[in-house]
Amino acid sequence: MNDLVRQHTELTDDDLDWLHLLVSEWQLLSDLSFADLVLWLPTSDGTRYVSVAQMRPNTGPTSYQDDMVGHLVPRGRRPLLDVALDEGRIVREGDPEWREEVPVRVESIPVRREGRVLGVIARNTNLLTVRTPSRLELTYLQSASDLAQMIAGGAFPFPGQQVGMDRAPRVGDGFIRLDAEGVVQYASPNALSAYHRLGLAADLVGLPLGPTTADLAPTRGPVDESLVKLASGWAPREAEIEGNDCVIQLRAIPLKPKGERIGSLILLRDVTELRRRERELMTKDATIREIHHRVKNNLQTVAALLRLQSRRIGATGDSSARAALDEAVRRVGSIAIVHETLSQNLDERVEFDEIADRVITMVAELAPDGRVIGRRTGRFGILDAETATPLSMVLTEVLQNALEHAFPSGERGAIEVNATRTDGTREPGRLLVTVQDDGQGLPRTFNPRSDGNLGLQIVRTLVEGELGGTFDMVPAQDGGTRVSLDLPLERHGAKR
């Protein structure tokens, strides 16, 4: 809609925000009208209309099988649009139109904001299934008429009250019509069932909804007053009430077709099962985070014990044994970093750039007097735990190997880690990681497939076995050594 409005009209950003607010709410008008809605805006030169949004009803058959968004029609071809735009009033005159042997009643509703008519809503009702309306349908249609008048007068939608279409109660979930005093005039079967689950034993019609709702909710004090006002429809608000092991979501919509409140619509939905599942998920998320937190603490305890053992061995002069324990400390530490990050998230995915930076810092601190600088370029992105844990160990081993063998005598230098993602649509995405140093380079006879210490053996095993990727180590073009990792992303469900 943004592109169409900016391309074909001269509406301001504030006007566009108003239209977005309208479109977020107009499913209500469509369902109450049993009609399709199409929003038409006049073009900048005033010679045509462009359709920028469309809504089909959930309560009846559609009048448009095709998508109307983006269509352009010249002014004069649809006279009802012209009259509604020029005169700023709802237009219902004219005979039904025939579309593919289906009679369609067309009405035009001007969309007003701050005294200006921005465009016109064409309301299209499929008349093929018209029958004698029930009381429910008559109440729907009367409520739709009131809302249409509010749109034409600029009183609907309500500023600052944008509601997500995916979470707000809809007409079919439960519908109550109140008079100006907050007394129930009509309640749909779903609405009545919801109140019965709350504990109401009587019919709703004729009862003041505010006090009735407050009596059913197990609350007292100021909350009761707020709930009474909401359920009485005095202001456009939303709330949830709990009672009798049931959770009901309420939404109040005051009706002011001529400026004065004549009543209200109350939409409601039973969200008991939804809230129960949300609580279960929150409990599971908290449990998972706690597990990661405890694993991190346990790994840090293991690292501390290994560090103590390393110091004790160092006192006896066995330098090789101490070096082996120090390497084990760093390996455990890299895994602990992943679990620490996972303990702070709601899912099993982590932003790996933060982990990579911490691993680089941890290894670079081993260089005497900060003689070797570690840095990262590019972006790893979000990876799941199955990828992040072995990749953190791989990165630790490669960096530690570079630090030990590229600068064996404590020379100054730098190690750069670069990450590049290819998130393709046709081909599987990949993560390309290079670790390059400017140290003394590789021996001429070095074979990355078979040579190397325990650290490189761990790298090969993790990259090829756990990550399903490839590993290579070659002399860098400008001196030093270059390690390349090529890893598939989709294998472990990595995300951008």
Side-chain angles (χ1 to χ4, degrees):
M1 187 168 75
N2 289 354
D3 293 339
L4 289 171
V5 169
R6 288 170 178 149
Q7 179 182 356
H8 295 286
T9 76
E10 294 181 346
L11 296 181
T12 65
D13 288 342
D14 289 339
D15 294 333
L16 183 55
D17 289 341
W18 182 262
L19 295 180
H20 276 294
L21 189 60
L22 172 66
V23 168
S24 73
E25 295 275 25
W26 70 344
Q27 179 73 63
L28 174 61
L29 177 62
S30 178
D31 289 346
L32 290 172
S33 303
F34 309 97
D36 291 73
L37 306 179
V38 180
L39 177 58
W40 296 93
L41 302 179
T43 58
S44 302
D45 57 10
T47 62
R48 296 180 296 175
Y49 296 97
V50 58
S51 58
V52 299
Q54 179 179 1
M55 178 59 66
R56 293 183 173 91
N58 294 318
T59 52
T62 183
S63 302
Y64 285 112
Q65 297 297 330
D66 299 327
D67 187 4
M68 293 297 297
V69 176
H71 283 214
L72 289 163
V73 298
R75 185 179 171 90
R77 179 174 296 179
R78 302 193 177 187
L80 297 186
L81 295 181
D82 299 338
V83 175
L85 183 69
D86 296 340
E87 300 182 12
R89 65 180 179 88
I90 298 175
V91 184
R92 297 189 176 93
E93 300 90 350
D95 297 327
E97 297 180 3
W98 287 84
R99 299 176 189 160
E100 299 179 356
E101 299 184 355
V102 175
V104 177
R105 182 175 64 242
V106 181
E107 304 167 84
S108 295
I109 304 168
V111 177
R112 193 183 304 272
R113 174 181 177 267
E114 296 181 350
R116 296 166 44 241
V117 177
L118 306 182
V120 179
I121 294 176
R123 181 163 55 178
N124 305 267
T125 306
N126 187 326
L127 299 178
L128 196 61
T129 58
V130 169
R131 62 185 186 279
T132 302
S134 64
R135 188 180 177 193
L136 178 145
E137 291 168 329
L138 289 173
T139 307
Y140 276 17
L141 292 172
Q142 179 57 54
S143 302
S145 177
D146 294 334
L147 280 178
Q149 292 184 56
M150 292 172 65
I151 292 173
F156 187 83
F158 303 109
Q161 292 290 323
Q162 184 165 358
V163 178
M165 292 166 49
D166 58 336
R167 64 180 178 85
R170 297 192 176 187
V171 171
D173 296 327
F175 172 87
I176 297 175
R177 171 89 185 215
L178 306 179
D179 64 14
E181 303 301 322
V183 176
V184 177
Q185 292 181 312
Y186 176 80
S188 71
N190 283 347
L192 187 58
S193 295
Y195 267 82
H196 283 170
R197 284 191 286 274
L198 280 174
L200 180 68
D203 192 2
L204 271 173
V205 175
L207 295 179
L209 189 65
T212 300
T213 303
D215 289 342
L216 294 172
T219 57
R220 294 293 182 268
V223 178
D224 279 352
E225 279 186 31
S226 174
L227 186 57
V228 168
K229 290 183 179 179
L230 183 145
S232 298
W234 290 101
R237 293 179 184 172
E238 292 183 74
E240 286 188 4
I241 59 175
E242 294 190 35
N244 202 29
D245 295 326
C246 179
V247 184
I248 303 297
Q249 183 181 16
L250 293 180
R251 183 187 178 200
I253 303 170
L255 295 176
K256 303 178 180 179
K258 297 182 179 179
E260 296 292 330
R261 194 174 71 88
I262 64 168
S264 306
L265 302 181
I266 305 294
L267 303 182
L268 64 154
R269 178 173 57 173
D270 186 346
V271 293
T272 306
E273 185 64 19
L274 178 62
R275 295 296 174 260
R276 184 186 67 80
R277 292 181 180 180
E278 287 178 351
R279 284 192 288 268
E280 287 181 354
L281 288 175
M282 290 176 63
T283 301
K284 289 180 180 179
D285 287 338
T287 302
I288 291 171
R289 288 197 299 270
E290 178 63 20
I291 289 172
H292 284 303
H293 182 70
R294 293 188 182 187
V295 169
K296 182 262 296 185
N297 288 344
N298 291 339
L299 289 172
Q300 288 179 338
T301 301
V302 171
L305 293 174
L306 291 174
R307 200 176 290 113
L308 287 172
Q309 187 67 34
S310 172
R311 291 172 183 171
R312 177 168 294 185
I313 291 177
T316 65
D318 192 342
S319 59
S320 61
R322 179 173 183 175
L325 284 175
D326 288 341
E327 287 182 2
V329 169
R330 287 186 286 275
R331 288 166 186 150
V332 172
S334 66
I335 301 175
I337 291 173
V338 176
H339 283 280
E340 181 180 3
T341 306
L342 287 169
S343 70
Q344 301 168 1
N345 295 339
L346 292 176
D347 54 24
E348 290 292 290
R349 298 188 181 96
V350 295
E351 176 62 65
F352 195 80
D353 293 331
E354 177 186 350
I355 294 174
D357 291 341
R358 293 180 63 179
V359 168
I360 292 170
T361 301
M362 178 180 68
V363 176
E365 287 175 350
L366 300 175
D369 302 323
R371 292 177 178 273
V372 178
I373 299 173
R375 59 176 175 267
R376 173 181 60 86
T377 59
R379 182 171 179 270
F380 287 87
I382 298 176
L383 304 175
D384 65 17
E386 286 186 60
T387 302
T389 301
L391 183 57
S392 68
M393 290 190 64
V394 167
L395 193 57
T396 300
E397 296 297 335
V398 172
L399 288 169
Q400 185 170 306
N401 189 72
L403 188 66
E404 292 178 358
H405 299 284
F407 313 102
S409 303
E411 299 92 340
R412 293 187 178 275
I415 305 174
E416 180 176 298
V417 178
N418 177 265
T420 304
R421 293 180 69 117
T422 59
D423 295 286
T425 54
R426 296 184 178 179
E427 298 180 358
R430 304 195 72 82
L431 175 62
L432 307 177
V433 182
T434 61
V435 180
Q436 183 167 326
D437 62 67
D438 56 1
Q440 68 178 16
L442 295 170
R444 292 185 179 180
T445 60
F446 182 80
N447 183 353
R449 303 299 305 171
S450 57
D451 296 343
N453 55 16
L454 175 63
L456 289 183
Q457 294 177 24
I458 292 174
V459 169
R460 282 193 290 267
T461 300
L462 290 175
V463 170
E464 297 173 1
E466 293 290 324
L467 297 172
T470 60
F471 161 79
D472 196 14
M473 176 181 284
V474 296
Q477 189 172 9
D478 300 325
T481 304
R482 178 185 178 91
V483 175
S484 301
L485 310 175
D486 186 349
L487 312 174
L489 288 177
E490 279 71 11
R491 175 185 174 91
H492 296 291
K495 304 295 181 184
R496 289 179 182 271

